[in-house]
């Protein structure tokens, strides 16, 4: 579109972006991939199809997806409550939403394990009901929900704050029910932000290790996280094997993120097009 | 103006918190760096102080020993990748071998340079059980019984855990006269009883003590004593099995780095100090078994008798043990093969 | 002018929320109840657990945890690393969001995905890449060693790892926000003769300030709390290269649970502090805006 031509700074901002991205992220990651090439394809493939690798990939991706999905729904609700409702303690709640970022991941893992293990505050309530959380995939999901929540809430908060109430009023005046207004007016407007939050929560969950290692129990084939396998390889001074797993995860994350981001651009364009 | 205040808030926030960002170095003191594994903090704190006094008393300039602690293999990797260590004190010889092999910072025969396989202090693998030993655990075979929950860390991520694993295997190997399939059956049965494989040895202790998981914790003898003391209220008891492995955490001078940093003399003195009566006494206070017979004699009554086998004797050294048990697809991995 | 529209947008929901543009009271109660229950289980309890452990031996023991030279040096190093990483990523975030949200060019999507990538990388790998690059066995290691330059197992490596793990925060907070807002206001300013810099300063920045602030707060919190990647490049030299999260791990491994959770709670408090500052700013600006609206009326 022609109108974008006269906004200045394209070369400067994009040039800096690409430069900084390359120095901090792309070049170092390239060396990771390069190190993998010291393996033959057969060796690489043997690592990929190892049952332990496959089990941990499945575990990592499924728990990450589940956690991001829970966060998308609950995070929306939390952001909505914080932006739209008045209730006692709102400021305090708003403040602790960032907590999962500030706590070292190991501390989060230890605290969550303490709460959800069979002698913990919640674990002792849930265990008689037949729900085991700590040292199961459910526990990993709990940890990943914890570390991903701020992404969704903080991505949605500005978007919800920026919603023009006039549009909602117009919808209401035109006879739309509250649910209709939500589905047709509010949700489309904040979908890009919601997908951003989901993407970041998911991405972060895929890469999370510090909190997971405490609550997972690390049982082979059951609760072994990909990061643990990478560490296991490093412990044997098998750098190539470790970078192979790292590169594999990198490729998977990249494809998934690209897909979700494309979805986000598509929804953003569709909404703006309306 | 609003925007200005916002930009300040945004960018100055972290800056305002820096305060005095410079980290001061400790004057003109000569520094010696000891890169060690995780559970030796308390030991080396005491050794470093005692050595510092001795070194100065002998007419040398004051020396400060810098400590770095972490998982044994992780520390070895750090040295290989450029963490400058004058001496390394790690959990197993395999990790120092890796430094010698990959970086050539020390000769391949490093382990012959100091007495007792370069181990001033040794230990063995014992059991920590709950108050009153309710499951009546006496020997290794009790760990493989059904309904017994065993806590031990992940052998793939913890050096200590590898000692635990080899101790169990060595017991079985002796019992079944070296029959590999029977030993394998025993060790499999034992690991089937493990509900949680923490990534490090102290993590396992916490799982056992704080989460109240498991009936028995496998670990180093000195660590069991420490856990019993730290969690005194729980009344844990130490059970020493009749047979176990001799845990040998070796120490070594990293010739290349010590040469480069000009610390060779003090580094060698530091390592030798651990073999002096004074150094050995410190080890005894931390419940290590000692390598100098005269001092060990004095503490004979502190340790329960146990028949010890070694990695070299039973497994033909760490390299062979690693190749057979801990490499990808090795015997440890086979325990968890699907369908077994 | 521009300011005022932004302000009225923020004020109106609070002032004239009519029955038609909000949920029925019972619905609000249920939604709020679910949100709060969720937060209780996932946020409040872990926080309570941290402080319960930290204060188990009383307030004196809690304070004593900070009066330790190793703790102080860890705090200094963490502040230093965050103090470099956050401004660096702030500048990057502003540049990236301007370039990506204000222009259309092929590969935009790819670029955003690459910016996201550091989140998805396991912290073990985030640290390892710098080891592979700057380590003795790595590409640049031998050259650096010859020139006596220490990157990993020293402060620069810790800063790099921190920059890496907090890389996307500001950019990812701003890109969707600027996209959603569109560029009409900036175009108007430019048409009226404002320079690019003035437009950014007077139009864009006020519009994105909340998103920017959230991004910085998150980035800062994460920079201070990062554990895994920093652990790989730190070398764990006591009093030199231990950050606060690493110090917490050490204390925990020494069975000093009170100390570990006390130092961890400091990070939690820092996160809360940034939010308090944010709330104070928010409140002040709303008050000023209300005044302006009154004057205008």
């Amino acid at each position: 579109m022609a109108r974008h031509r006269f906004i200045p700074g394209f070369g400067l901002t994009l040039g800096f972006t690409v430069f900084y991205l390359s120095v901090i992220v792309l070049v170092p990651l390239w060396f990771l991939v390069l190190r993998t090439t010291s393996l033959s394809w057969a060796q690489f493939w043997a690592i990929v199809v190892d049952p332990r690798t496959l089990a941990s990939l499945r575990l990592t991706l499924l728990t990450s997806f589940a956690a991001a999905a829970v966060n998308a729904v609950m995070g929306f609700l939390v952001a909505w409550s914080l932006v739209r409702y008045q209730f006692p303690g709102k400021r305090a709640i708003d403040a602790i939403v960032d907590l999962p970022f500030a706590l070292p991941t190991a501390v989060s893992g230890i605290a969550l394990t303490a709460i959800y293990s069979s002698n913990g505050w919640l674990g002792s309530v849930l265990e008689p009901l037949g729900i085991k959380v700590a040292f199961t995939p459910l526990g990993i999901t709990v940890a990943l929900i914890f570390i991903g929540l701020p992404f969704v809430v903080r991505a949605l908060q500005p978007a919800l704050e920026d919603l023009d109430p006039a549009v909602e009023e117009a919808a209401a005046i035109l006879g739309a029910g509250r649910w209709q207004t939500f589905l047709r007016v509010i949700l489309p407007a904040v979908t890009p932000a919601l997908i951003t939050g989901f993407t970041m929560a998911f991405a972060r969950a895929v890469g999370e290790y510090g909190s997971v290692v405490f609550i997972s129990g690390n049982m082979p084939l059951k609760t072994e996280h990909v990061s643990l396998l990478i560490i296991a390889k490093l412990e044997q001074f098998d750098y190539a094997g470790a970078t192979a797993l790292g590169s594999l995860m990198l490729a998977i994350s990249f494809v998934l993120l690209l897909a979700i981001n494309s979805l986000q651009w598509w929804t953003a364009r569709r909404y703006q097009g309306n | 103006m609003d925007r200005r205040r916002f930009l300040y808030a945004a960018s100055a926030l972290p800056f305002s918190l820096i305060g005095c960002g410079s980290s001061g170095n400790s004057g003109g003191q000569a520094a010696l760096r000891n890169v060690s594994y995780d559970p030796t903090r308390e030991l080396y704190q005491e050794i470093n102080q005692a050595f510092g006094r001795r070194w100065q008393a002998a007419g040398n300039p004051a020396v400060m020993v810098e400590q770095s602690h972490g998982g044994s293999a992780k520390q070895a990797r750090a040295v290989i990748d450029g963490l400058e260590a004058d001496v390394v004190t790690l959990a197993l010889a395999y990790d120092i071998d890796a430094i010698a092999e990959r970086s050539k910072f020390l000769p391949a025969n490093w382990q012959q340079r100091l007495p007792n396989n370069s181990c001033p202090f040794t230990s063995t693998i014992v059991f920590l059980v709950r108050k009153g030993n309710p499951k009546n655990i006496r020997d290794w075979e009790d760990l493989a019984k059904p309904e017994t929950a065993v806590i031990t860390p992940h052998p793939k991520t913890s050096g200590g855990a590898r000692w635990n694993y080899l101790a169990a295997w060595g017991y079985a190997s002796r019992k079944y006269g070296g029959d590999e399939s029977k030993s394998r059956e025993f060790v499999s049965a034992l690991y089937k009883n493990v509900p949680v494989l923490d990534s490090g040895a102290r993590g396992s202790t916490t799982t056992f003590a704080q989460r109240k998981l498991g009936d028995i914790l496998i670990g180093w003898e000195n660590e069991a004593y420490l856990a019993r003391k730290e969690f005194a209220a729980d009344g844990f008891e130490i059970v020493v099995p009749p047979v176990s492995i001799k845990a040998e955490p070796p120490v070594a001078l990293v010739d290349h780095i010590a040469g480069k940093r000009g610390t060779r003399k003090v580094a060698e003195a530091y390592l030798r100090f651990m073999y002096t009566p004074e150094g050995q006494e410190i080890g005894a206070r931390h419940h290590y078994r000692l390598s100098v017979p005269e001092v060990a004699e004095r503490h004979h009554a502190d340790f329960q008798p146990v028949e010890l086998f070694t990695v070299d004797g039973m497994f033909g050294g760490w390299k062979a043990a690693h190749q057979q048990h801990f490499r990808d697809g090795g015997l440890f991995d086979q325990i968890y093969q699907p369908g077994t | 002018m521009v300011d005022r529209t932004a302000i009225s947008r923020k004020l109106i929901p609070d002032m004239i929320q009519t029955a038609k543009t909000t949920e029925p009271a019972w619905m609000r109660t249920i939604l709020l109840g679910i949100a709060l229950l969720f937060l209780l289980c996932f946020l409040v309890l872990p926080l309570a657990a941290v402080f319960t452990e930290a204060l188990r031996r009383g307030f004196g023991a809690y304070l004593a945890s900070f009066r330790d030279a190793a703790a102080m040096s860890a705090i200094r190093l963490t502040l230093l690393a965050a103090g470099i990483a956050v401004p660096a990523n702030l500048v990057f975030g502003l540049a990236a969001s301007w370039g990506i949200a204000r222009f259309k060019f092929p590969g935009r999507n790819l670029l955003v995905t690459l910016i996201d990538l550091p989140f998805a990388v396991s912290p073990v790998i985030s640290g390892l890449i710098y080891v592979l690059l700057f380590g003795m066995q790595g590409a640049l290691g031998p050259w650096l060693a010859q020139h006596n330059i220490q990157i990993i197992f020293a402060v620069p490596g810790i800063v790099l790892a921190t920059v890496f793990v907090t890389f996307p925060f500001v950019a990812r907070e701003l890109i969707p926000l600027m996209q959603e807002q569109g560029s009409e206001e900036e175009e108007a300013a430019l048409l009226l003769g404002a320079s690019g810099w003035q437009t950014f300063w007077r139009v864009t920045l006020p519009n994105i300030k909340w998103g920017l602030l959230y991004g910085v707060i998150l980035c800062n919190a994460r920079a201070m709390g990062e554990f895994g990647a920093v652990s790989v490049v730190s070398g764990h030299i006591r009093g030199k290269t231990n950050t606060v999260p690493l110090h917490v791990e050490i204390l925990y491994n020494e069975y000093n649970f009170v100390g570990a959770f006390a130092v961890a709670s400091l990070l939690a408090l820092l996160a809360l502090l940034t939010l308090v500052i944010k709330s104070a700013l928010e409140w002040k600006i709303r008050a000023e805006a209300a005044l302006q609206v009154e004057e205008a009326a």
Side-chain angles (χ1 to χ4, degrees):
Chain A
M1 267 179 266
R3 66 189 171 115
H4 291 287
R5 290 240 176 84
F6 69 90
I7 292 187
F10 179 70
L12 179 73
T13 56
L14 202 68
F16 178 72
T17 302
V18 171
F19 169 76
Y20 189 75
L21 180 71
S22 304
V23 170
I24 301 288
V25 179
L26 298 184
V27 171
L29 285 179
W30 173 243
F31 275 89
L32 178 82
V33 178
L34 210 62
R35 190 66 178 247
T36 312
T37 56
S38 63
L39 293 174
S40 70
W41 271 109
Q43 285 170 315
F44 180 75
W45 191 244
I47 292 174
V48 173
V49 296
D50 182 79
R52 293 273 279 282
T53 312
L54 292 177
S56 73
L57 280 176
R58 194 168 53 235
L59 176 85
T60 306
L61 293 175
L62 281 180
T63 51
S64 300
F65 189 84
V70 170
N71 271 334
V73 176
M74 298 312 291
F76 189 98
L77 205 51
V78 170
W80 182 261
S81 305
L82 287 174
V83 172
R84 291 296 176 97
Y85 301 155
Q86 294 303 326
F87 55 93
K90 182 169 149 171
R91 280 270 160 86
I93 295 284
D94 194 6
I96 64 166
V97 165
D98 293 324
L99 181 77
F101 284 157
L103 277 185
T105 48
V107 174
S108 319
I110 292 163
L112 288 169
T113 312
I115 294 167
Y116 286 96
S117 70
S118 47
N119 65 346
W121 292 338
L122 284 178
S124 57
V125 179
L126 292 173
E127 195 129 312
L129 306 173
I131 306 169
K132 270 193 70 117
V133 182
F135 313 121
T136 67
L138 183 61
I140 301 175
T141 312
V142 166
L144 296 179
I145 291 173
F146 178 80
I147 55 139
L149 180 69
F151 283 116
V152 179
V153 177
R154 294 305 189 215
L156 279 171
Q157 256 177 322
L160 287 172
E161 270 164 14
D162 274 350
L163 275 186
D164 191 347
V167 181
E168 280 175 67
E169 275 167 43
I173 289 162
L174 291 171
R178 191 60 193 151
W179 182 239
Q180 268 179 311
T181 310
F182 174 76
L183 281 184
R184 299 269 175 85
V185 179
I186 300 170
L187 198 58
V190 300
T191 297
L194 185 63
I195 296 179
T196 300
F198 175 88
T199 315
M200 290 197 287
F202 175 74
R204 177 85 174 81
V206 169
E208 174 56 12
Y209 172 67
S211 58
V212 168
V213 71
F214 285 97
I215 205 166
S216 74
N218 306 321
M219 297 308 289
L221 297 170
K222 288 186 201 131
T223 55
E224 253 182 348
H225 194 268
V226 177
S227 295
L228 189 88
L229 289 191
I230 295 176
I231 288 181
K233 294 212 183 294
L234 284 175
E235 291 285 304
Q236 303 169 55
F237 306 98
D238 177 9
Y239 284 74
T243 55
L245 276 182
S247 304
L248 178 69
M249 279 310 286
L250 199 65
I252 293 174
S253 313
F254 179 76
V255 170
L256 286 172
L257 289 177
L258 193 64
I260 306 175
N261 280 334
S262 306
L263 180 72
Q264 197 237 353
W265 283 95
W266 182 72
T267 53
R269 250 211 320 274
R270 205 173 61 133
Y271 173 65
Q272 280 173 350
N274 282 350
Chain B
M1 288 227 160
D2 301 344
R3 51 190 162 272
R4 196 151 291 169
R5 203 170 305 132
F6 269 97
L7 203 70
Y8 281 140
S11 58
L13 210 75
F15 274 127
S16 65
L17 296 170
I18 293 182
C20 39
S22 63
S23 53
N25 208 337
S26 45
Q29 266 184 339
L32 183 69
R33 193 178 290 159
N34 177 1
V35 171
S36 191
Y37 62 110
D38 239 332
T40 56
R41 285 191 188 91
E42 298 83 0
L43 172 72
Y44 282 116
Q45 218 161 9
E46 221 174 306
I47 287 202
N48 294 349
Q49 277 177 7
F51 170 72
R53 279 196 301 272
R54 262 297 139 92
W55 180 249
Q56 240 180 318
N60 296 296
V63 63
M64 192 201 55
V65 187
E66 262 177 7
Q67 284 295 141
S68 163
H69 295 276
S72 186
K74 188 179 175 185
Q75 294 290 79
R77 263 189 345 263
V79 173
I80 291 169
D81 286 322
L83 176 63
E84 297 199 325
D86 303 298
V87 299
V88 284
T89 53
L90 296 179
L92 43 153
Y94 185 72
D95 292 332
I96 301 184
D97 279 336
I99 300 174
E101 192 179 312
R102 279 154 196 272
S103 66
K104 314 269 187 262
F105 284 171
L106 64 169
N109 70 343
W110 61 271
Q111 209 169 1
Q112 270 86 62
R113 294 193 297 184
L114 285 167
N116 201 33
N117 267 338
S118 287
C119 297
F121 315 109
T122 62
S123 191
T124 184
I125 303 302
V126 302
F127 310 147
L128 195 68
V129 297
R130 301 204 178 273
K131 193 175 187 173
N133 196 359
K135 297 261 165 136
N136 194 27
I137 288 155
R138 298 283 159 220
D139 199 354
W140 288 98
E141 62 187 350
D142 297 323
L143 308 191
K145 285 180 183 158
E147 306 292 304
T148 307
V150 178
I151 303 293
T152 180
H154 204 307
K156 292 271 190 163
T157 59
S158 154
R162 265 170 257 173
W163 287 107
N164 297 355
Y165 171 97
L166 290 182
W169 185 280
Y171 159 80
S173 188
R174 278 170 71 122
K175 187 178 174 193
Y176 301 115
D179 183 333
E180 190 183 301
S181 73
K182 280 195 173 153
S183 305
R184 206 154 124 180
E185 228 166 84
F186 171 79
V187 174
S188 294
L190 192 159
Y191 274 86
K192 292 266 148 72
N193 281 341
V194 178
V196 173
L197 288 164
D198 281 283
S199 59
R202 291 255 167 121
S204 280
T205 310
T206 310
T207 298
F208 181 76
Q210 297 273 87
R211 313 276 165 265
K212 313 268 183 250
L213 229 63
D215 304 305
I216 171 254
L217 171 77
I218 313 179
W220 288 40
E221 186 177 41
N222 59 309
E223 284 289 292
Y225 274 103
L226 181 69
R228 198 177 64 170
K229 189 182 113 203
E230 291 287 336
F231 303 99
D234 293 301
F236 297 142
E237 292 170 19
I238 293 171
V239 174
V240 179
V243 176
S244 192
I245 198 165
K246 184 179 182 191
E248 298 170 287
V251 302
L253 172 78
V254 186
D255 303 55
H256 177 75
I257 304 293
K260 183 178 160 192
R261 286 161 42 104
T263 52
R264 191 180 180 108
K265 199 174 134 218
V266 59
E268 279 176 340
Y270 178 69
L271 294 181
R272 273 199 308 273
F273 173 76
M274 296 179 200
Y275 290 93
T276 63
E278 191 182 358
Q280 291 280 300
E281 284 293 343
I282 295 173
R285 273 204 290 286
H286 292 273
H287 304 286
Y288 284 94
R289 295 188 179 224
L290 308 177
S291 64
V292 177
E294 307 87 86
V295 193
E297 204 60 28
R298 255 182 274 160
H299 295 277
H300 190 72
D302 297 352
F303 297 100
Q304 291 177 49
V306 52
E307 202 188 325
L308 296 175
F309 55 86
T310 63
V311 174
D312 292 340
M314 178 70 74
F315 301 92
W318 265 105
K319 212 164 226 167
H322 190 273
Q323 190 58 23
Q324 196 186 359
H325 295 274
F326 304 120
R327 74 178 159 84
D328 281 354
L331 284 168
F332 176 72
D333 280 352
Q334 287 170 25
I335 293 175
Y336 291 101
Q337 223 42 254
T340 55
Chain C
M1 281 307 275
V2 181
D3 268 2
R4 199 160 303 154
T5 54
I7 288 151
S8 58
R9 263 209 239 160
K10 294 242 155 43
L11 283 176
I12 286 167
D14 294 353
M15 284 158 40
I16 52 153
Q17 265 202 351
T18 62
K20 278 177 191 166
T21 56
T22 187
E23 294 77 41
W26 61 269
M27 182 74 148
R28 268 192 286 178
T29 315
I30 290 176
L31 290 180
L32 193 61
I34 296 172
L36 290 180
L37 186 69
F38 174 78
L39 289 175
L40 177 76
C41 292
F42 283 90
L43 278 181
V44 179
L45 282 183
L47 184 66
V50 169
F51 278 93
T52 311
E53 282 293 330
L55 294 168
R56 179 147 288 178
R57 301 237 175 89
F59 201 65
Y62 178 82
L63 286 181
S65 309
F66 305 106
R67 255 184 256 120
D68 168 45
M72 288 314 294
S73 95
I75 292 170
R76 265 202 305 272
L77 182 58
T78 290
L79 292 176
L80 177 71
I84 296 172
V86 175
N89 286 335
L90 169 70
V91 172
F92 163 74
L94 285 171
S97 55
W98 183 271
I100 289 166
R102 288 292 172 261
F103 302 96
K104 293 199 169 162
F105 54 91
R108 250 187 338 170
N109 212 350
L110 182 74
L111 193 59
V112 174
T113 306
L114 289 174
I115 291 174
D116 281 343
L117 215 47
F119 277 150
V121 173
S122 156
V124 186
I125 294 294
S126 322
L128 188 66
I129 53 175
Y130 293 111
V131 173
L132 292 179
L133 195 55
F134 300 116
M136 279 304 281
Q137 312 288 314
L140 301 175
W143 185 86
L144 290 170
Q146 263 173 20
H147 293 78
N148 257 329
I149 304 170
Q150 274 273 331
I151 305 247
I152 49 167
F153 311 123
V155 175
I158 291 168
V159 171
L160 266 179
T162 309
V163 170
F164 183 91
V165 293
T166 57
F167 185 85
F169 275 98
V170 180
R172 279 313 245 129
E173 195 72 34
L174 291 183
I175 292 168
L177 187 66
M178 284 176 67
Q179 262 184 308
E180 193 231 352
Q181 286 175 344
S183 55
E184 284 82 4
E185 289 182 27
E186 281 133 9
E187 280 161 31
L190 288 163
L191 270 177
L192 293 171
S195 73
W197 189 240
Q198 280 174 319
T199 308
F200 168 75
W201 197 247
R202 303 249 171 110
V203 180
T204 312
L205 208 53
N207 276 341
I208 60 167
K209 60 193 173 194
W210 295 114
L212 184 69
L213 205 58
Y214 282 133
V216 168
I217 287 170
L218 294 185
C219 185
N220 184 53
R222 189 85 179 83
M224 291 186 175
E226 174 53 21
F227 169 74
V230 170
S231 167
V232 177
V233 295
S234 133
H236 302 96
I237 306 162
R238 196 155 223 191
K240 266 195 179 167
T241 61
N242 278 328
T243 62
V244 171
L246 299 181
H247 186 63
V248 170
E249 188 206 19
I250 290 173
L251 293 173
Y252 190 77
N253 274 339
E254 285 175 350
Y255 306 128
N256 182 355
F257 301 122
V258 168
F261 283 102
V263 177
S265 74
L266 181 72
L267 289 168
L269 288 174
L270 276 176
L272 299 189
L273 182 73
T274 55
L275 261 289
V276 169
I277 295 171
K278 184 215 132 201
S279 298
L281 277 172
E282 202 171 17
W283 181 80
K284 200 166 178 188
I285 277 154
R286 283 197 182 198
E288 274 174 21
L291 206 71
Q292 278 180 5
V293 171
E294 261 173 40
E295 276 168 9

